[in-house]
Amino acid sequence: MNEQTVKRIVIVGGGTAGWMAAAAMAKVLGPGYTVQLVESEEIGTVGVGEATVPHLKLFNNLLEIDEIEFVKRTQGTFKLGIQFNDWGQLGDSYIHGFGKIGHDVSLLPFHQFWLKARQHGLADEIGAYSLNTVAAPQGKFMASATDVPPQSPLADIAYAYHFDAGLYAAYLRQYAEQRGVRRIEGRVEQVELRPDDGFVEAVTLADGQRVEGDLFIDCSGFRGLLIEQALHAGYESYTQWLPCDRALAVPSERHGPPAPFTRSTARTAGWQWRIPLQHRTGNGYVYSSAHVGDDEAAATLLANLDGRALGEPRLLRFNTGMRRRTWYRNVVALGLAAGFMEPLESTGIYLIQSGIARLLNLFPRAGFSEVVAERYNAQTRFEYERIRDFLILHYYATRRDDTAFWNQCRTMAIPDTLRANIELFRDSGRFFREGEEMFAQVSWVQVMLGQGIQPHSYHPLVDQMPEHELGAFVAGVGKVIAHCVDAMPPHEAFIARYCAADPAA
Ligand code: FAD
């Protein structure tokens, strides 16, 4: 136990992670604390990370950010889910929609009733019973309605955002600086450790400035300037399960109305994303360099854009995995400095947000106790491993056998935790969310079914509903969803009415 009071916070890095951390610290900690952020314009940021999950609304609520202003300022659009094309097999398409599926009956989730109805030819695809997955391909969107009964699917619409990563960081920077965060421009050249306990004492910049602190938040990106280069926390790689190690990213001209969903299309050695914003579309090809060369990957990416490319594809190299310790001594790593999960389910920004929440929950009063750091690290590991399993599911549960990459994914050994979940689901369609894992049952169910995992049976209590009632129940849910989607405006019209960005900005 080190007894120094923790009042001076130094954040190293001004990408999405750095400014999210700065904004949250400024808002929550209040007077008595100082927050300084060091960043280097010369080094720049990773410049990607534009699709999110609904949890971001909680972060915005914490900061009391006005949603309309936020969407306008970041050229944002709304996201109802992710469309996965060619994943289960070539020609397949399914949507992992946010929000509920159907209508649960007492203890039983709707999909259990759906499983029996489907077996008896009484039900459509599972997607027909989710507002999000019906609305998304029709290009419909609205925020939750306040003038409908509380049980209406329109009363509680789950959605996330797409936004411009650079504009998001700039927005949070302004927010944080207005609340007293001091930004220091400069390149960190040296990290000073206290000789007695190896804690970080200060960072020294290229111009000789020395910035001292009690708690250091490492948001320096993949390099992990403090957590790895100075403290050698170690890294655990997940590449035996998630073999993609590169991405090429390129923006393109906006083409048609922005879709209210992220699109992920499986390619010969990875997958391609499309993220529609108000002023442009973000695209990228995430691939395994062992299976495709950079030039071929770039050609594939450029040949599959909806609009004209706005520049040359930018290459990013990564190693999927996480630091063995994300809190070590007086350093907490967030963002790419903490670990990397490929953006298949848009989890990067969520992991920053949950790291910040965890740090605030475990914020030290005086000194750094090992039990606190251990709990932080255990929770972080659990969260990463469950997301890791969810991502592996997309690759492993494929029937694709058209390339060496997909053959490797389909036949690889998977973690026991994932195997157990797949086996239970295959047995009787059951899934249990554990602890504070990120993805809920509905997410796992949609992806398992979407990837072609068919349960052999369903929960026995479903049989308590007579068959004619079952058919009417499931059909009724489908009708309500279709009716609600009919009432929704086009996504583009919703944006134009409420949150169109300034075209000159
Ligand atoms: P960076 O943006 O790299 O910022 C690092 C900061 O540290 C910079 O300000 C840099 O100047 C500073 N710095 C570094 N070294 C020094 C030094 N010596 N001195 C001073 N400053 C220094 N996440 C999602 O949620 N959704 C997505 O759709 C998504 N897509 C992604 C696609 C790809 C290909 C990749 C690689 C990631 C994606 N992510 C996504 C993850 C997301 O981009 C990151 O989580 C997010 O941008 C946070 O990055 P960061 O702030 O940790 O790092």
Side-chain angles (χ1 to χ4, degrees), residues 363-401:
F363 202 84
R365 173 186 284 274
F368 290 87
S369 116
E370 272 196 19
V371 281
V372 168
E374 271 168 20
R375 181 57 63 96
Y376 181 95
N377 288 330
Q379 288 181 357
T380 307
R381 172 172 292 278
F382 176 75
E383 187 161 57
Y384 267 78
E385 288 181 353
R386 298 300 294 209
I387 293 173
R388 175 203 69 190
D389 282 5
F390 190 52
L391 300 187
I392 298 170
L393 171 68
H394 298 65
Y395 286 98
Y396 171 73
T398 184
R399 282 147 287 151
R400 283 189 66 156
D401 58 2

Side-chain angles (χ1 to χ4, degrees), residues 300-323:
T300 301
L301 173 64
L302 293 173
N304 289 288
L305 302 179
D306 292 349
R308 196 172 59 89
L310 298 168
E312 289 297 310
R314 204 159 53 86
L315 180 67
L316 297 134
R317 294 183 169 81
F318 50 79
N319 178 357
T320 301
M322 68 176 293
R323 298 274 168 233

Side-chain angles (χ1 to χ4, degrees), residues 104-109 113 461:
D104 298 348
V105 179
S106 57
L107 273 181
L108 290 184
F113 294 91
L461 291 179

Side-chain angles (χ1 to χ4, degrees), residues 101 103-114 429 441 459 462:
I101 306 176
H103 181 71
D104 298 348
V105 179
S106 57
L107 273 181
L108 290 184
F110 175 81
H111 78 268
Q112 286 291 346
F113 294 91
W114 174 85
Q441 184 188 59
H459 197 291
V462 169

Side-chain angles (χ1 to χ4, degrees), residues 12-19 37-53 79 165 186-189 205 218-223 225 246-249 262 273 275 286 316-318 334-343 345-352:
V12 176
T16 303
W19 285 114
L37 182 146
V38 185
E39 70 173 317
S40 158
E41 265 173 29
E42 181 201 330
I43 294 175
T45 65
V46 74
V48 280
E50 309 201 312
T52 63
V53 287
K79 172 178 173 184
R187 186 188 188 105
V188 172
E189 292 224 315
L205 312 191
D218 187 350
C219 298
S220 63
F222 287 126
R223 50 179 63 75
L225 202 64
R246 287 186 191 185
L248 283 158
T262 307
W273 80 72
I275 299 176
V286 174
L316 297 134
R317 294 183 169 81
F318 50 79
L334 292 173
L336 301 172
F340 181 73
M341 296 281 196
E342 61 172 85
E345 286 282 355
S346 317
T347 46
I349 293 167
Y350 166 78
L351 283 165
I352 298 169

Side-chain angles (χ1 to χ4, degrees), residues 382-436:
F382 176 75
E383 187 161 57
Y384 267 78
E385 288 181 353
R386 298 300 294 209
I387 293 173
R388 175 203 69 190
D389 282 5
F390 190 52
L391 300 187
I392 298 170
L393 171 68
H394 298 65
Y395 286 98
Y396 171 73
T398 184
R399 282 147 287 151
R400 283 189 66 156
D401 58 2
D402 53 309
T403 67
F405 174 80
W406 289 106
N407 284 335
Q408 178 182 319
C409 294
R410 203 186 63 254
T411 56
M412 67 184 160
I414 56 172
D416 291 343
T417 40
L418 174 59
R419 177 165 300 286
N421 276 331
I422 292 177
E423 282 173 5
L424 181 64
F425 187 75
R426 196 173 269 132
D427 175 80
S428 48
R430 285 177 249 220
F431 176 85
F432 296 94
R433 183 189 206 166
E434 274 178 44
E436 295 193 9

